[in-house]
Amino acid sequence: MNGIQNHSEQHADESTQVLTFGIADQSYCIELEYVTEIIDSGDMTTIPDTPAHVEGVMDLRGQTTTIVNPLVLLEGESLNPEDIVTDGGEETHRIIMLDEKLVDSDGALGWLVSSVSAVDKIPIETLETEGLASSPMFRGVVKQDDNGFLIWLDPEELTV
């Protein structure tokens, strides 16, 4: 067996843990290493003259935390959070808190999402990237067992 085959086989065995979450009807994931905690949404204060993807700020244990809608960064359009985060008629919001050191943030940062599903282990080889999207946050897609796709995001490409 040559070195190239060995490298391919080693890469085929590599996997990583991801946090899967939903925004509206679409499933997404990010590598677990970026996540510090998951919290229920609280009262947010909107800030004038901020980029469209910034939903507002909230107080999280005494620290001002910027809350971002990643869907705006991906699709370029804003959705009203109340329209996408319902659970049986009850409004629900979850916020995925990101490690500010890993995403190069000036302060606490969270993503507003509809739901948080699970932590999954995904083989790196299942990630498909070629020619699928132009957003720098888009890392690729992973085909799921139910014939759907999980969109893998790169939070390091987030610019606030």
Side-chain angles (χ1 to χ4, degrees):
M1 207 178 284
N2 66 36
I4 293 173
Q5 288 173 328
N6 273 341
H7 178 70
S8 298
E9 288 175 9
Q10 288 173 352
H11 183 72
D13 292 339
E14 289 182 30
S15 62
T16 189
Q17 286 191 313
V18 297
L19 177 70
T20 59
F21 58 93
I23 302 176
D25 293 330
Q26 180 58 55
S27 296
Y28 297 87
C29 71
I30 59 174
E31 288 182 73
L32 192 58
E33 70 180 302
Y34 291 103
V35 179
T36 59
E37 67 180 310
I38 300 161
I39 61 171
D40 290 327
S41 162
D43 292 328
M44 277 187 276
T45 303
T46 56
I47 306 297
D49 297 325
T50 56
H53 62 273
V54 176
E55 292 290 332
V57 295
M58 65 183 289
D59 180 10
L60 181 61
R61 293 184 290 281
Q63 185 174 17
T64 301
T65 303
T66 303
I67 307 302
V68 170
N69 183 338
L71 196 60
V72 176
L73 291 169
L74 290 168
E75 298 186 3
E77 58 187 61
S78 183
L79 291 176
N80 185 342
E82 286 78 20
D83 293 340
I84 64 171
V85 289
T86 59
D87 180 17
E90 294 291 320
E91 191 176 308
T92 59
H93 299 233
R94 299 303 301 244
I95 296 175
I96 300 171
M97 295 302 300
L98 301 175
D99 187 332
E100 58 193 88
K101 293 177 219 110
L102 292 178
V103 295
D104 196 25
S105 175
D106 291 335
L109 182 66
W111 279 3
L112 181 67
V113 300
S114 302
S115 62
V116 175
S117 305
V119 172
D120 293 314
K121 195 170 192 175
I122 295 181
I124 298 294
E125 70 185 26
T126 62
L127 180 65
E128 297 178 32
T129 61
E130 296 301 316
L132 294 173
S134 61
S135 171
M137 280 183 58
F138 179 82
R139 184 162 175 209
V141 295
V142 176
K143 187 165 177 29
Q144 296 182 298
D145 292 337
D146 64 1
N147 294 326
F149 287 94
L150 184 63
I151 298 175
W152 195 325
L153 301 179
D154 183 356
E156 286 187 51
E157 297 298 328
L158 171 74
T159 52
V160 179

